[in-house]
Structures are given as C-alpha cells and as structure tokens.
C-alpha cells in the first residue's frame, strides 16, 4: 500500500468519525455538549483536514511544498487537541494553557526542520512530535490508574505502545539512517503508517466506548444516590447498613443509627415554592455532613426524613453527634430568592442490637424520633433500652 493511499485512508477515517460524532449524544449536567467532547470533535476535524490536504499534495493537485507544511501543522494541532480533550475528560480543566504554547513550539520546530531538510529532518520532527502528543494522551487516560476501568487502562497502554512505534521512526532516522538490522526504513515506514491508522481507530472507538461507560456509571450511581442532595438514597443507605447489621451479631464496638426529620418543612414549600425547598434541603444536608466523619453514612430515606449510620459509636456518643447536628441546623439561616429561612430538626437515636433486623432497628429509631417531635420538636430523643430477659425460676 503506497503512502498516498494510507494518508487518504487516515483522512476518510477521521471524516467518518466526525460524522458519527455528530450523532453521538453524551449527557452533560449543565446541558449542551461537554467541553471535552467539543474539543475532541475539533481535534478530529483538524486531523481529517490535515491528512486530506496531505493526500491532495501527494497527488500533485496542490503544490506539495505548500500543502505539506500546512497539512502537518493541522495534523499536529489535531493530535495535540485530542490529547487536550482527554485531559479535559480526566479533570485537567486548564490544559489549554499548556497545550497552546506546546503546540506553537511543536509547529515551529517542525517548520524549521522542514526548511532545513524536506525529507530526513521533516520525518524526524513529525514522528517525535506526534509521538510526544500521543504519549500525553496516554498519560491522560492513565490518570487515576488505581480507580480506572479495564477499558481505560487498555486504551492507555495501547495508545502508549503505538505512540512509541510512531516515535521509533524518528529515532531510527536520527540514530540509524540506513536501517537497523532487519528493521529497514521501508518496514519502519509501514509500521509508522499502521500505528497512525490504529491510533485513529483506537481514539475514535475508545472515546465512544468511554462515553457509554460514563453513562452506565451515572445510571448505576443514580440507583443508590439521591441527585438532589448528593447523599445515599433509601436503597443506597440500606446497602451500606446491611454489613453493619451482620457485624452487630458479633462481639465488638457498637454501631448507632440516627433518624432525623426537618420540623414543619411543608410550610417552606407552601410559602416559598419547591425550588426554595430544594435549596433548603441541599444546604441543611451540607451542614449535617460537616458534623460527620468520613466513615459515617448519611442517607435520605423519604421526603425530609434522613438516616445516619455511625459505625463504632455507642448510643450515648451518637446522641452527642445528633445534638451537635441539631444545634448546627437551628443556627443555620438559608438564603433563597424570596426569604431567609430557618428550620429545626428532631432526632431519634438508637444502637444496633444483636437480634435486630432492619425493620426492628428502623422502628425503634422512628419511635424515638416520634417521641422527640411529641416532646416539642427541635430536640434529640434516645430509644428505650433493651429489655432484660428474665431468668428462669
């Protein structure tokens, strides 16, 4: 396969990926298209334009001396922006401040090498520059390796390996111009072209698969997390509670459960509307989280009733935690568009017992919560102690 055919395949391949990208919908929390997806789309368009211009120059439709530097500039910019899009996806929001000067230096270095030597130094510069940007893309994929999915790890390793193949061409042109053993310049050129083609396919399909993986992760998270207040929902809370219920049957430190309910919250929605009620809920949940340890678990069971799991905490210590939380909520004034809103909360506290089921545990905590409300609200009530089993006569 000659070089013109390979370059044309790269151009058409990137154009096909751009067409598929046009119909690809990836949800974004603020609406519209994610910034990373937009940057990646531009990167593919630049690469497609560069490879197409290179094919046109190779066919002498446009003078090669004019087409080649512009084409390589577009390809280098496209690969740099592709790496930047991956860094954006990985959380590197300021990648443009690094990528832009690096891109200017890279294109300047390539043009200088092209001006000095149109063949040897040009191939050296193009290979090493493209390899460097592809290695940056691999580093972005490898970010957070310990928590990364197997798909992202594979893409990182495959991209790094292919980037090294791309860079090997430039290294051998510099170190062994006549080839190195069985590795002839022609074979290396073929491997270089194949690596670029595989990087195009890997980058395109990899991005789409990562997008699908993100959607699946979001759906799985929504099953156990309440999106309004960003804490566990009822299902998620009971998933966390289950192992601690099992541990309570063994000797060891106690574990406590706290139920709390916002007092007279209905008047907030009735007086100021549901948007104001949502602001109040989010604010008060943040106030509660600041009173908890990393190991504690806060969950929204239903409406404005919340539960807190306090591992390795006695009922008396849990009551102290609940009291701090009650005072913090009472001292908080939530600013909404229509008013400054103050609320109080009532708390019921109990400890997990060896013979408890989730039903008996929640019933006992709910009984304590009801006692707090009946006692005047804005207070903490403890569940009644366990009844001692009478000895047989």
């Amino acid at each position: 396969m000659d070089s013109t055919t390979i370059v044309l395949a790269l151009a058409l391949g990137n154009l096909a990926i751009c067409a598929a990208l046009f119909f690809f919908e990836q949800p974004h929390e603020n609406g519209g298209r994610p910034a990373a997806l937009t940057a990646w789309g531009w990167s593919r368009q630049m690469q497609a334009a560069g490879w197409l211009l290179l094919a046109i120059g190779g066919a002498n439709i446009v003078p090669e001396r004019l087409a080649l530097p512009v084409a390589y500039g577009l390809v280098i910019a496209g690969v740099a922006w592709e790496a930047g899009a991956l860094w954006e996806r990985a959380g590197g929001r300021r990648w443009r401040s690094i990528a832009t000067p690096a891109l200017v230096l890279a294109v300047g270095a390539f043009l200088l090498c092209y001006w000095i030597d149109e063949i040897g130094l040009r191939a050296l510069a193009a290979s090493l520059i493209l390899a460097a940007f592809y290695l940056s893309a691999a580093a972005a994929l490898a970010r957070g390796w310990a928590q990364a999915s197997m798909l992202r790890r594979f893409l990182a390793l495959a991209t790094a390996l292919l980037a090294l193949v791309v860079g090997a061409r430039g290294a051998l042109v510099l170190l062994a111009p006549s080839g190195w053993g069985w590795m002839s310049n022609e074979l290396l050129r073929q491997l270089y072209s194949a690596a670029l083609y595989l990087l195009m396919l890997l980058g395109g399909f990899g991005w789409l698969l990562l997008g699908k993986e993100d959607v699946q992760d979001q759906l799985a998270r929504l099953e156990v997390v309440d999106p309004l207040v960003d804490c566990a929902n009822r299902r998620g809370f009971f998933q966390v509670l289950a192992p601690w219920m099992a541990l309570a049957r063994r000797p060891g430190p106690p574990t406590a459960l706290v139920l709390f309910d916002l007092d007279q919250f209905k008047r907030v929605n009735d007086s100021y509307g549901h948007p104001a009620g949502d602001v109040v809920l989010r604010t008060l949940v943040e106030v509660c989280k600041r009173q908890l340890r990393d190991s504690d678990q806060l969950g929204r069971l239903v409406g404005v009733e919340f539960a807190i799991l306090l591992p390795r905490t006695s009922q008396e210590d849990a009551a102290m935690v609940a009291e701090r939380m009650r005072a913090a909520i009472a001292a908080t004034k939530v600013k909404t568009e229509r008013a400054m809103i103050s609320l109080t909360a009532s708390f019921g506290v109990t400890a997990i017992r060896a013979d408890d089921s989730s039903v008996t545990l929640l019933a006992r905590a709910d009984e304590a919560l009801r006692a707090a409300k009946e006692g005047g609200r804005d207070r903490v009530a403890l569940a009644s102690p366990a009844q001692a089993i009478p000895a047989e006569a």
Side-chain angles (χ1 to χ4, degrees):
M1 185 179 293
D2 59 31
S3 58
T4 302
T5 304
I6 294 173
V7 169
L8 188 59
L10 285 166
L12 294 177
N14 277 287
L15 286 173
I17 291 172
C18 288
L21 181 66
F22 180 80
F23 297 101
F24 177 62
E25 295 293 338
Q26 184 172 337
H28 189 244
E29 57 184 6
N30 297 323
R33 293 167 75 86
L37 181 59
T38 301
W40 189 80
W42 279 109
S43 78
R44 287 294 164 175
Q45 294 177 50
M46 286 187 283
Q47 290 180 63
W51 290 120
L52 188 60
L53 185 58
L54 200 60
I56 292 173
N60 293 319
I61 298 174
V62 175
E64 188 175 19
R65 288 182 61 87
L66 175 64
L68 195 145
V70 176
Y72 266 106
L74 285 170
V75 171
I76 291 170
V79 175
W81 237 241
E82 182 178 354
L86 289 169
W87 279 109
E88 174 90 28
R89 187 190 196 111
R93 306 300 183 202
R94 302 180 62 185
W95 62 270
R96 286 177 178 81
S97 62
I98 300 174
T100 302
L103 177 59
V104 171
L105 289 174
V107 173
F110 172 81
L111 293 176
L112 178 63
C113 292
Y114 178 70
W115 178 70
I116 296 173
D117 183 359
E118 294 183 11
I119 300 177
L121 280 180
R122 182 200 77 189
L124 168 66
S127 300
L128 294 181
I129 290 170
L130 290 176
F133 283 125
Y134 275 123
L135 284 173
S136 176
L141 288 166
R143 188 178 186 184
W145 181 269
Q147 292 77 37
S149 65
M150 292 303 296
L151 171 63
R152 193 147 61 88
R153 293 181 182 184
F154 165 75
L155 290 173
L157 291 173
T159 301
L161 180 61
L162 291 171
L164 292 176
V165 174
V166 171
R169 185 193 184 197
L172 282 182
V173 167
L174 179 66
L175 300 175
S178 58
W180 184 38
W182 57 271
M183 183 67 71
S184 65
N185 284 333
E186 178 60 24
L187 176 59
L188 190 59
R189 187 185 67 81
Q190 295 288 346
L191 290 174
Y192 169 80
S193 301
L196 288 175
Y197 191 77
L198 290 175
L199 281 166
M200 177 197 68
L201 294 178
L202 195 69
F205 287 108
W207 186 278
L208 296 176
L209 289 173
L210 285 173
K212 182 180 179 182
E213 189 175 69
D214 288 345
V215 171
Q216 291 174 337
D217 290 344
Q218 291 173 23
L219 291 175
R221 186 174 185 274
L222 287 175
E223 291 182 355
V224 295
V225 174
D226 187 301
L228 175 63
V229 293
D230 192 30
C231 70
N233 59 18
R234 186 180 185 90
R235 179 177 181 177
F237 184 81
F238 277 96
Q239 284 184 2
V240 176
L241 177 63
W244 291 101
M245 295 286 294
L247 285 174
R249 298 184 177 92
R250 306 175 185 176
T255 294
L257 179 75
V258 178
L259 287 189
F260 72 93
D261 189 285
L262 299 179
D263 299 327
Q264 298 178 331
F265 181 78
K266 186 175 183 297
R267 68 178 174 83
V268 175
N269 286 333
D270 292 343
S271 302
Y272 307 109
H274 289 281
D278 292 345
V279 173
V280 170
L281 279 177
R282 284 193 291 265
T283 302
L284 294 182
V285 165
E286 287 301 315
V287 170
C288 293
K289 286 180 177 179
R290 287 197 288 269
Q291 308 299 321
L292 300 176
R293 305 165 298 183
D294 292 340
S295 58
D296 300 333
Q297 179 68 54
L298 174 66
R300 184 183 184 187
L301 298 187
V302 61
V304 292
E305 183 173 283
F306 293 82
I308 306 169
L309 178 68
L310 299 171
R312 302 179 179 86
T313 306
S314 66
Q315 181 169 295
E316 292 72 22
D317 290 338
M320 295 173 61
V321 174
E323 178 59 33
R324 287 202 311 268
M325 199 173 295
R326 184 207 61 77
I329 292 173
T332 300
K333 295 185 182 297
V334 183
K335 183 179 181 180
T336 66
E337 292 182 356
R338 299 179 59 184
M340 292 288 288
I341 300 173
S342 298
L343 279 179
T344 60
S346 301
F347 292 77
V349 182
T350 188
I352 302 177
R353 300 170 185 171
D355 59 346
D356 264 332
S357 66
S358 59
V359 175
T360 60
L361 175 66
L362 266 292
R364 191 167 62 252
D366 192 61
E367 182 182 352
L369 173 59
R370 190 162 54 250
K373 285 187 171 294
E374 292 173 354
R377 299 189 177 92
D378 190 23
R379 62 188 58 207
V380 177
L382 275 65
S384 57
Q387 294 289 333
I389 301 175
E392 293 183 4

